[in-house]
Amino acid sequence: MIICELNEVHCLVGRGRRARSILYVEHLRLRQGEILGVIGPNGAGKSTLLKTMALLEPPSSGTLLYRGQPVDPARVPASLRRRMSTVFQNPLLLDMSVFDNVAIGLSFRGVPRKERSKRVNEWLERFRVRHLARQRARTLSGGEAQRVSLARALVLQPEVLFMDEPFSALDFPTKAALMEDLKAVLRESGTTAVLVTHDFLEATFMADRLAVLVGGELVQEGPVPEVIARPTERAAPFVNGWKSMATQAISQPKTGASPHVFPEDDHLEAARSPRTGA
């Protein structure tokens, strides 16, 4: 089952002759139950793609379909928005208790108090933070806060979870534990997910398929082993550099820092070919 489909999607900034393309996707499908990893160098359009798929920003042109039905990004039905949740790099928790942070979306949707309490406690338990339910959210560690943020998103039982660099601010042990728990939760719940990341380890551990963006354009998508082993000509400079740097990071003695992989832009010029006439 195809949850989301993009056809000839183009995002521009500026107007007239000064308009500049920041994203072009000829065709991309998000399948039910999968985790799609979105990778690419800085400025490649990863966050723009996520916001477009999550209907947070309308594209300049192109077609978006959800479950086969065309969607006007300027007039998104509330019923469709309620089938999506988004988690960003910063948890963006409110200055209230952990329990109330996770419950707030259910309150807005009119979920009865008894059902609300049951669901909040269930998701706090799944992310191993139920013991923090009465603690003020602003006092949490980075890892605890991101666990609460994910619980708040998933307690709404979304059809699709969008995540923009959710692990990037965490140290390696904290990140590894959270990724393991999150992947298990997504599998158990059957939630479809889109994960934007710079990190080789995050992408290869979490994702079923990868979408590679270079120069604002989708240049390859497919199963993780296929993309890593057989990158296309335009994807190869990024993917191979990314792989090489990850291997070096893994082989170096651990210092407690997360081995993020950021191939430098000057290694990617061979892959860049911005569309003209945009």
Side-chain angles (χ1 to χ4, degrees):
M1 172 69 72
I2 304 301
I3 297 291
C4 173
E5 185 172 350
L6 285 71
N7 293 303
E8 298 288 343
V9 166
H10 210 162
C11 298
L12 306 174
V13 292
R15 295 182 179 179
R17 294 182 179 180
R18 295 186 177 182
R20 178 172 60 88
S21 176
I22 58 172
L23 179 69
Y24 176 73
V25 176
E26 182 177 3
H27 185 67
L28 179 65
R29 287 178 168 181
L30 178 65
R31 296 165 175 82
Q32 183 171 339
E34 76 173 355
I35 302 173
L36 176 67
V38 179
I39 63 173
N42 290 329
K46 299 185 296 297
S47 292
T48 300
L49 175 58
L50 180 139
K51 291 174 184 176
T52 300
M53 294 178 73
L55 303 175
L56 298 175
E57 292 183 0
S60 303
S61 61
T63 304
L64 280 77
L65 297 93
Y66 272 86
R67 290 197 174 274
Q69 299 299 312
V71 176
D72 180 356
R75 298 180 179 179
V76 182
S79 59
L80 180 54
R81 288 204 182 278
R82 289 184 174 189
R83 286 153 56 184
M84 307 174 190
S85 289
T86 307
V87 172
F88 296 100
Q89 178 179 342
N90 296 319
L92 303 176
L93 299 178
L94 301 174
D95 190 17
M96 55 178 65
S97 73
V98 164
F99 184 96
D100 289 341
N101 265 277
V102 177
I104 193 166
L106 298 175
S107 299
F108 287 151
R109 296 185 183 188
V111 175
R113 184 185 297 272
K114 185 175 181 180
E115 174 67 13
R116 193 163 68 224
S117 179
K118 177 184 176 183
R119 284 168 60 176
V120 169
N121 284 323
E122 175 187 345
W123 281 99
L124 289 177
E125 184 68 33
R126 284 191 176 195
F127 280 102
R128 307 176 192 271
V129 287
R130 187 171 177 179
H131 62 290
L132 302 174
R134 298 304 168 190
Q135 188 167 321
R136 303 294 290 188
R138 297 285 178 87
T139 67
L140 300 176
S141 68
E144 290 168 344
Q146 199 59 285
R147 285 175 177 272
V148 172
S149 180
L150 286 162
R152 180 175 61 184
L154 287 165
V155 75
L156 300 174
Q157 299 175 336
E159 191 169 57
V160 186
L161 175 65
F162 295 95
M163 299 175 283
D164 195 352
E165 301 276 5
F167 312 115
S168 62
L170 307 179
D171 61 57
F172 184 71
T174 301
K175 176 171 70 172
L178 179 52
M179 286 195 302
E180 186 172 354
D181 288 343
L182 175 59
K183 188 170 184 178
V185 163
L186 293 175
R187 294 293 187 233
E188 290 167 8
S189 63
T191 305
T192 305
V194 177
L195 170 67
V196 168
T197 181
H198 282 92
D199 192 302
F200 182 87
L201 300 181
E202 290 177 17
T204 53
F205 177 77
M206 292 292 299
D208 302 301
R209 291 169 57 245
L210 293 175
V212 186
L213 294 174
V214 174
E217 187 170 351
L218 179 65
V219 296
Q220 185 174 7
E221 64 91 13
V224 173
E226 178 183 309
V227 172
I228 298 302
R230 295 183 295 279
T232 63
E233 183 178 356
R234 290 192 62 197
F238 173 76
V239 172
N240 291 336
W242 192 52
K243 222 174 9 176
S244 174
M245 294 182 71
T247 301
Q248 293 174 24
I250 292 169
S251 65
Q252 291 172 355
K254 297 294 186 294
T255 61
S258 173
H260 289 290
V261 181
F262 298 97
E264 296 297 330
D265 288 347
D266 58 354
H267 295 306
L268 302 167
E269 289 305 315
R272 296 184 187 275
S273 178
R275 297 175 63 86
T276 57

